[in-house]
Amino acid sequence: MAGFILRRVAILIPLLFLVSVVAFLIIQLPPGNFVDTYIRNLELQGGSVNAAQREALLRQYGLDQPVLVQYFLWISRIVLHGDFGNSFRYQRPVLDLLIERVPRTMAISIAAILLTWIIAIPIGILSALKKYSFWDYFFTFLSFLGLSIPSFLLALVLLYFVFSRTGYLATGLFSPEFENAPWSFAKFENVLQNTWLPLVVLSVTGSAGIIRVLRASLLDELKKQYVTTARAKGLPEWRVILQYPIRIAINPLISTIGWMLPSIVGGELVVSKVLNIPSVGPMMLDAVTGQDMYLAGGFVLILSSLTIIGTLLSDILLAWSDPRIRFE
């Protein structure tokens, strides 16, 4: 097991360096830069910038250097000082913006993932054990419905339904009177009143796919010889199911940790936009569309690194839960 982990960690280090190069190149791909976007927006408002002022702006933001020099300056500050640079748009350090947005996004995303698993795992097991029964058809219909309905559409429908019935507009994290208020039980209660809607939307759309995967995996395992042998030995049915096939059928869910970690930090962009939640997703979209190089690069680097780290964690958990994987 130790050798398995060391091999995976050894691959991780050069891969993170490669990810940083790719992340920086991706944010350089769109034509122009932040200064060009700034000048274009200024001209749309009736202003103008001459060539000397443009050169001064390029020097101010460090965009007059070659791309290779910009990359090494960027990555060296991150590695040596943890400095992701300053956001052009917000005129603040990128790290401060990350610290401000990431915790609230993680709280919502982790709660949504836990709720998703709480809903999906029991339903997936029940659907497989009661194959072709009323409950199997019922949950299959619901899961296909959850897969087919876009999350933003479900959010809009629920938002309209709640507002039409109660007159309460469940958007944002806080009501205006609690926006700058110190933390208290009333503020925590207000957060719950505003975040239950995105949690329901994310858990419904997320659990639909997990139900289908778990049902299919468990049905495959229930047909295998070791299940028949366990039953022939007289083991109780609940023990046969919980101790053997479910341990194997859960492996596809463990393997999804690789993309669950970046989703925890990145959040659901479209749902956040629709429900006006100040999470990482909308800020990342603004950074990309506004060519805010360091802010967009910081987001891409963190999300890509979390994908790699999540894959490492899923490999370790899979090797722990299924000894056969350790020898691959």
Side-chain angles (χ1 to χ4, degrees):
M1 185 69 176
F4 175 85
I5 295 175
L6 288 175
R7 288 197 301 272
R8 290 295 192 272
V9 173
I11 299 173
L12 185 68
I13 297 173
L15 196 56
L16 285 173
F17 172 74
L18 183 61
V19 162
S20 70
V21 175
V22 174
F24 195 82
L25 290 177
I26 286 175
I27 61 177
Q28 295 283 351
L29 286 178
N33 50 45
F34 174 77
V35 171
D36 295 329
T37 304
Y38 171 78
I39 293 174
R40 185 166 58 252
N41 292 334
L42 189 63
E43 289 175 346
L44 291 174
Q45 297 173 6
S48 63
V49 174
N50 57 38
Q53 291 173 328
R54 183 180 184 278
E55 292 298 324
L57 287 171
L58 289 173
R59 287 193 300 271
Q60 177 183 344
Y61 293 116
L63 299 175
D64 58 331
Q65 301 290 335
V67 174
L68 192 61
V69 175
Q70 292 182 38
Y71 166 75
F72 278 108
L73 290 174
W74 178 66
I75 197 64
S76 61
R77 286 198 300 263
I78 293 175
V79 173
L80 298 177
H81 308 289
D83 180 12
F84 286 83
N86 289 324
S87 168
F88 301 153
R89 181 185 181 121
Y90 295 93
Q91 294 298 311
R92 292 176 58 191
V94 171
L95 188 60
D96 291 350
L97 295 172
L98 293 175
I99 293 174
E100 179 183 292
R101 292 290 182 110
V102 166
R104 63 182 66 165
T105 307
M106 290 183 65
I108 295 174
S109 299
I110 291 173
I113 288 171
L114 291 177
L115 186 59
T116 298
W117 282 47
I118 290 172
I119 295 172
I121 291 178
I123 291 178
I125 294 173
L126 178 63
S127 185
L129 296 179
K130 303 293 184 180
K131 183 177 66 170
Y132 304 141
S133 66
F134 166 78
W135 290 111
D136 183 26
Y137 288 124
F138 177 71
F139 289 127
T140 298
F141 170 75
L142 289 183
S143 61
F144 280 127
L145 197 64
L147 286 171
S148 60
I149 297 178
S151 57
F152 75 91
L153 180 60
L154 181 60
L156 285 173
V157 171
L158 290 178
L159 187 64
Y160 172 76
F161 180 79
V162 171
F163 181 74
S164 62
R165 297 291 179 177
T166 65
Y168 184 76
L169 190 61
T171 58
L173 285 181
F174 308 103
S175 299
E177 63 270 18
F178 290 101
E179 187 70 36
N180 298 315
W183 277 102
S184 61
F185 180 77
K187 186 171 183 177
F188 177 72
E189 187 179 14
N190 183 254
V191 171
L192 295 181
Q193 290 175 353
N194 285 274
T195 55
W196 71 267
L197 185 58
L199 289 180
V200 169
V201 172
L202 295 176
S203 60
V204 167
T205 55
S207 60
I210 295 178
I211 290 172
R212 305 310 304 160
V213 171
L214 183 57
R215 179 186 181 276
S217 301
L218 188 54
L219 284 176
D220 287 341
E221 295 301 320
L222 290 173
K223 299 174 184 176
K224 293 185 178 178
Q225 189 65 40
Y226 70 88
V227 178
T228 305
T229 303
R231 285 172 175 157
K233 289 182 177 181
L235 292 177
E237 185 66 16
W238 66 268
R239 187 176 177 185
V240 172
I241 300 301
L242 292 178
Q243 188 169 351
Y244 297 105
I246 286 182
R247 289 183 59 187
I248 306 301
I250 208 77
N251 282 351
L253 303 187
I254 297 176
S255 65
T256 61
I257 294 176
W259 53 264
M260 283 173 63
L261 272 186
S263 69
I264 288 175
V265 176
E268 176 57 47
L269 172 60
V270 179
V271 174
S272 298
K273 274 292 196 181
V274 170
L275 299 179
N276 193 30
I277 299 175
S279 61
V280 168
M283 180 178 284
M284 181 169 62
L285 178 63
D286 292 339
V288 173
T289 55
Q291 293 184 301
D292 194 342
M293 184 178 67
Y294 293 127
L295 183 57
F299 281 134
V300 173
L301 178 61
I302 288 176
L303 296 179
S304 303
S305 301
L306 284 174
T307 303
I308 296 173
I309 295 171
T311 303
L312 173 65
L313 291 177
S314 65
D315 287 345
I316 294 173
L317 290 174
L318 284 171
W320 173 73
S321 65
D322 190 347
R324 297 173 299 176
I325 299 176
R326 302 175 197 173
F327 302 103
E328 293 182 358

